[in-house]
């Protein structure tokens, strides 16, 4: 695993726990974690249960005993690492967004396609696809239970920047993070829309906005929880993204990604309206899926709160009895299960780097539209 | 109409509005309102749109041009007025509870039975039966949609006495009000249970409790909104009633009536669990009914929020388009519709005085059980 | 009252009920209702309690005993009637949208301004301003309880056109209705945003969409509930409107108006995010307001469901005790109260025709933006 | 760890994960799991990550390298194992209910008291105390935020026995399970009430009921998921328990434990009403706590949905960022943290065996009351 921040903790938990609850066809070992700072990396290895710590990812990629590289670094480093790993014949799991630019993502997708011909697998980490409720939603759409998709509303609402004195972290620096709310959380809204509907976002019109232009600069290297000083620096990414997309099936989808929706902490929500029904999901109540069946008698129609914890629900039978909730981290175990299964079965896992590239193109088109007074842009 | 308090306002609104939205088979005129104080009664007549005001209800009952007596006085006066009216051949609508004692209620039910033989109709005012959602719930149970009733939870939660300096109104005086939370709101929980399930509560065990024993005495005649002085008087009714009932079909029902559930304002809630499904209703969201259909595939089961405003729902087609809410007072219009229709069609309206007597017997059995250390008491 | 459709019923109920619950400074009489068809107009007069029926609105406007004209006809007739009435010195209440075009609305606003100089009052019927919860929301914003407005999401979601065989009513004809979801329900979302925030929508970018292009033609004159034949005609209005607006205070607002959000019946929802808190309202639960106070200690923050039925809430003290719900029609009583009070007190009621014109300009700018590939348009 | 059923999985997850997210003062090793069947025990060891498997718990207790015994067997074996372990100087974590009878529980509590004098710690596994929301609720009550406790409603609602052909598992056998809904889930409702209020249940009145008297017998040894045959056997435990308790502070608490509340899967709910506020919790939405603050201005009061995922909330800062949900199993990690911390700090952890004994006495008193026609019974 390359990197060891918040995402490193989540990925480590996935690797550690998945084999305990699922019958994996292979037996993954948590071998080595890589970071720049030797001390902090060693500490991460101890905390998260990796056997070794290393500081040079290139060296790790060359090792024969390493079969899979899990990339959890910031987006600006994804391309270089992933391409090198794929060329070295290692399977790659890369945290989203795939890259910070379309050009990088294109190079990565091309490398993944080359590698796939040699049986090397790659996958991008949109774990919200693997919440039982969202996987089940996709199944219901595929089975025609909501009919033809007519409209989508997808939003990812947070509020951790609502405080204008929240510090200037790397996530607010365009050079490192690529974009702000758009790439960090809007990407999830786009991917989830495409995953559940089985369609792609083909054209977009939108606007990006930075609500607080300057924030306190942090003492170097301090990270998220550091004390900020009096100096203020420029926020170079968006705080809010509002855009409309045209799906490949013809329907319009309305998107919002924001870190300023006061009181909303992690509300990735999607509602899909179809000719025969509708589905609604909210990550803040991730064990529930609301389903409206418009084919029932008029007097009996209503949004139905399905508690997605039954043995017949995706992934759910391997965990706890009905009614016992799963949390944020379980998607990372499911990701491990699906990736390891694909490797063992010699199939290509989803979402692929090509899928990740497509999301990147959607984000890029939104940026272009915002710069072009809202004019519609294609994502191809 | 005899009486003109809060209930007088609600009944007046029912009489005024019902003919505007429903095609009544008869054309009721709001003729005369009766009260003790001439000035305040005249004011009530003007405010609520009654043609005359009077102070002697016996005189009004003797009038040939009066066909129906609507009783909205406190419970201690119901028996005398209702029996006199029925004997005078007037149809009677009597606000709940039917009476303050079983003996009074028995006399009223007997008078109603006698009168019925002469074609004189009587009805007791449990208006929460006439909320579209509860009427629809009864229909679903009758159609077998939840199968055999297995359990009921019925509660009526308020908090207006949570403030221990709330004044000592007539509703806290056993001589006038008969009982406290039990008769005032617990009666609704009992009636709604019997109405929706189509069963009776045959035996009960329970406890009554007064949480605040003394409250500030109000200056005489001032009513609910008066200023209370330093003097404190004894609360002689219950603040809280907790009881369990055995339904005629065999299931247990758990009841709670309280004015001390902080934050709950008017939460008459009922949940009925059956072998094939369940229903849940909350008066604080009275336009909604939750229905759980256990005959659906396991993965699709869930409580369904039915917005009970469709043309196919009870009463709903005469009001506004789908999705437009009704409020508290609409049940009073529905009561007028059902009563006037029964009179015109020469049928006996429900709930009858016998139904009201039965509720009174349930309340009485709860009081007896509470006095007998929780021993089960029959309601017959 | 000119017109007698669904809105005629609602306005009549307002005129009838308001004086019973509020102390009006004047005593309005429901004198005459005007419609084209003598028979149906007479029937409407009888049903809704108007003393007379008439077929010529010009004649009614000339009558000395008429002080106020209430216009509830489709939007294409508003301008002519309202201007004539104002010139005749009659106060005017005009149902929304003010008109079908900006030009008409401008003429109306000019006429209203002229009339105001002579003490003649005019008001446009955005009744959702007069739901206690929305009025209270405006008060909280004005008091600074959510700080500076940072973002708004306003949506009006219905689904009555989701059935593609729903008939081609006048509301789907641009010549009569002006626009579709945009003017019919989007107008409410715009007005409510401006009302609660106290700001105006100054620029917009958006798209209009017709999802079902042809629908069954109805037999002439049959109206909403008629039987549709095999013939299909073109829908000439939008089914869905998605747009973004720039508020005068600088914040972005995201709007959606749709009749295709399956399962949503009458969901006028607004969420306003500010620097110190947030507010959320949903017309499907119109007695509730959610308030998030970001100035509380972090561990105690949360959206608070305020049941807007306390005596201290707007309008609420004149109706029922705490916890007893109001419904759709009560806003029409509040409208009567505010209008009659303004007339008596010789002040200008809100929303004025100028406010209505402004909403019309916003709608027009959305249409222009949709035609211009999403380019931002000014609403001035 | 003695036993390896569903609870074994949960405890194992706790032991495995806790050290990764919390800084434990000691470093627990998952040494040996004990079961009757050698093959299945070895499989459990491999699956859950225990170093060894064994079949003789007495032998394990004698081992010098074992410091702590974690008991997750059915209730009928708890006393023997726990007492032996404590006498051997091992710290003991015992799954709830502490025992199947009061006599056994008394012996266990006495053994625990003896052992404590020698510095040996014991704890009973009521993990729902360690959900951040419930721990936070206790803190708010202790700080006086809801004032004096006036009323409690505590219910644990499931529906997995609603199907009358659900098989006759060991949980329906009184000899093994001790009791049914009462001991299995009612115990949690009692413990949570005592934990949050800081009071004890001193007297009770109630009724136990078996709704389905006979169920299909399972082929021997097959367990929960086995195929049931045509033979039916007697259910010897309760399906439903309804009881009222008197708290040590004087308030009444109403309890319900049921496996027949159709549609409710794992709804451990508690609502505590106090003189200054109220709290409500539902395990089906375990990351949320509703708080009503009655000291706010009347117009601003409402139940507030606190998302209990802030760094300032109990346990929450060690997991994920704000808004990222925890699930069922996290309580088991918190249990490990608190137990290991107590051992290291030489303090007695809670809930103690004495606490577990008290819960057992409450359950016993409910059984006695049910047998005595609802007569109130003391729990001392």
């Amino acid at each position: 695993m390359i990197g060891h921040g918040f995402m490193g903790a989540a990925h480590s938990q996935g690797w550690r726990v998945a084999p305990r609850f699922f019958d994996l066809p292979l037996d993954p070992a948590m071998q080595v974690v890589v970071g720049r700072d030797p001390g902090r990396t060693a500490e991460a290895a101890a905390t998260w249960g990796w056997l070794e710590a290393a500081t040079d990812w290139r060296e790790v990629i060359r090792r024969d005993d390493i079969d899979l590289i899990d990339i959890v670094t910031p987006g600006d480093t994804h391309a270089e690492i992933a391409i090198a790993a794929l060329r070295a014949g290692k399977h790659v799991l890369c945290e989203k967004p795939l890259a910070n630019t379309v050009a990088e993502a294109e190079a990565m997708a091309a490398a993944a396609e080359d590698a796939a011909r040699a049986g090397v697998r790659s996958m991008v980490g949109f774990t919200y696809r693997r919440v039982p409720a969202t996987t089940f939603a996709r199944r219901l759409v595929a089975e025609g239970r909501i009919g033809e998709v007519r409209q989508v509303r997808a939003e990812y609402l947070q509020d951790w920047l609502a405080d204008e004195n929240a510090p200037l972290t790397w996530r607010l620096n365009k050079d490192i993070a690529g974009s702000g709310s758009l790439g960090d959380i809007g990407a999830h809204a786009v991917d989830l829309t495409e995953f559940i509907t089985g369609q792609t976002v083909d054209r977009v019109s939108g606007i990006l906005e930075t609500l607080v232009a300057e924030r306190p600069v942090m003492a170097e290297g301090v990270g998220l929880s550091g004390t900020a000083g009096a100096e203020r620096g420029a926020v170079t990414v968006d705080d809010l993204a509002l855009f409309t997309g045209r799906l490949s099936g013809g329907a319009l989808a309305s998107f919002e990604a924001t870190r300023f929706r006061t009181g909303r902490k992690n509300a990735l929500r999607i509602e899909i309206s179809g000719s025969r029904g509708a589905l609604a999901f909210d990550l803040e109540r991730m064990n529930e899926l609301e389903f409206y069946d418009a084919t029932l008698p008029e007097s009996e129609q209503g949004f139905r709160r399905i508690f997605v914890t039954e043995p017949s629900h995706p992934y759910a039978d391997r965990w706890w009895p009905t009614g016992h909730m799963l949390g944020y981290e379980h998607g990372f175990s499911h990701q491990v299960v699906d990736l390891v299964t694909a490797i063992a079965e010699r199939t290509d896992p989803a979402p692929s780097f090509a899928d990740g590239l497509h999301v990147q193109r959607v984000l890029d088109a939104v940026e272009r539209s915002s710069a072009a007074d809202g004019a519609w842009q294609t994502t191809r």
Side-chain angles (χ1 to χ4, degrees), chain A:
Chain A
M1 185 170 77
I2 321 291
H4 52 75
F6 156 37
M7 273 300 124
H11 281 237
S12 297
Q13 179 76 339
W15 289 110
R16 182 185 313 110
V17 172
R20 302 298 173 192
F21 288 83
F22 292 83
D23 297 320
L24 297 186
L26 298 170
D27 187 18
M30 294 172 69
Q31 194 61 42
V32 54
V33 62
V34 184
R36 277 181 240 179
D37 182 286
R40 286 170 56 213
T41 308
E43 197 185 323
T47 300
W48 303 119
W50 296 83
L51 297 174
E52 307 169 41
T55 54
D56 184 347
W57 60 264
R58 287 181 186 78
E59 216 165 86
V60 170
I61 279 175
R62 279 194 296 268
R63 285 168 55 165
D64 284 345
D65 66 331
I66 297 294
D67 298 309
L68 187 149
I69 300 293
D70 184 358
I71 305 171
V72 296
T73 51
D76 60 332
T77 62
H78 287 184
E80 187 180 10
I81 302 173
I83 292 169
L86 288 168
R87 285 186 183 155
K90 311 302 186 196
H91 307 298
V92 174
L93 170 60
C94 181
E95 189 45 39
K96 53 65 47 185
L98 188 59
N100 279 1
T101 67
V102 168
E104 287 173 341
E106 283 174 338
M108 292 171 79
E113 206 181 331
D114 287 348
R117 279 190 285 269
V120 176
R121 312 295 162 190
S122 49
M123 185 169 164
V124 59
F126 285 110
T127 51
Y128 292 136
R129 290 183 170 215
R130 299 178 209 283
V131 171
T134 59
T135 311
F136 183 55
R138 176 182 166 92
R139 186 195 295 172
L140 289 172
V141 172
E143 288 172 353
R145 297 301 301 280
I146 65 163
E148 183 195 347
V149 172
R150 292 271 183 73
Q151 265 198 261
V152 177
R153 168 71 183 170
E155 52 194 12
Y156 204 145
L157 315 176
Q158 299 182 336
D159 72 353
W160 58 278
L161 290 180
D163 175 2
E164 58 195 46
N165 289 315
L168 192 69
T169 72
W170 69 264
R171 285 181 187 273
L172 304 180
N173 181 328
K174 189 173 176 63
D175 291 340
I176 304 174
S179 74
S181 62
L182 181 65
D184 184 25
I185 54 178
H188 279 297
V190 170
D191 182 69
L192 201 55
T193 297
E194 296 192 337
F195 173 66
I196 298 180
T197 63
Q199 301 185 23
T200 50
V201 178
D202 288 352
R203 304 181 74 236
V204 295
S205 165
I207 182 169
L208 299 180
E209 180 101 344
T210 303
L211 279 81
V212 172
E214 294 195 331
R215 290 181 176 278
V217 174
M218 300 169 70
E220 193 158 2
V222 172
L224 264 166
S225 53
T227 314
E231 193 193 347
R232 297 181 84 89
V235 173
T236 51
V237 300
D238 56 286
D239 290 328
L240 163 66
L242 296 172
F243 54 105
T244 304
R246 178 72 70 182
L247 298 184
S248 48
L252 286 174
S254 160
F255 294 94
E256 174 170 347
T258 173
R259 294 148 164 180
F260 275 80
R261 277 284 283 266
T262 312
R264 305 302 175 187
K265 302 303 175 185
N266 202 31
L268 171 57
R269 296 171 179 173
I270 187 166
E271 182 164 322
I272 304 174
S273 308
S275 54
R276 302 180 65 216
L279 290 166
F281 171 77
D282 182 349
L283 187 63
E284 289 191 357
R285 288 181 169 165
M286 62 183 281
N287 292 269
E288 304 173 20
L289 180 69
E290 290 201 84
F291 173 38
Y292 187 95
D293 184 348
T295 68
L296 292 175
E298 175 195 84
S299 65
E300 296 186 12
Q301 293 180 19
F303 274 93
R304 195 188 305 166
R305 180 180 84 109
I306 300 173
F307 206 19
V308 191
T309 61
E310 298 288 346
S312 50
H313 288 135
Y315 305 108
D317 62 324
R318 306 312 303 266
W319 297 99
W320 311 109
T322 296
H324 290 69
M325 285 171 57
L326 300 187
Y328 166 68
E329 71 214 52
H330 292 80
F332 293 90
S333 282
H334 303 159
Q335 181 168 267
V336 163
V337 171
D338 291 343
L339 175 57
V340 170
T341 301
I343 290 171
E345 295 182 349
R346 298 175 192 281
T347 57
D348 280 318
S352 68
F353 277 22
D355 295 329
L357 164 61
H358 175 71
V359 171
Q360 208 59 41
R361 283 182 170 143
V362 173
L363 307 183
D364 185 70
V366 172
E367 293 200 55
R368 283 185 279 123
S369 177
S370 181
D373 192 36
W376 286 77
Q377 307 290 328
T378 180
T379 65
R380 293 288 160 190

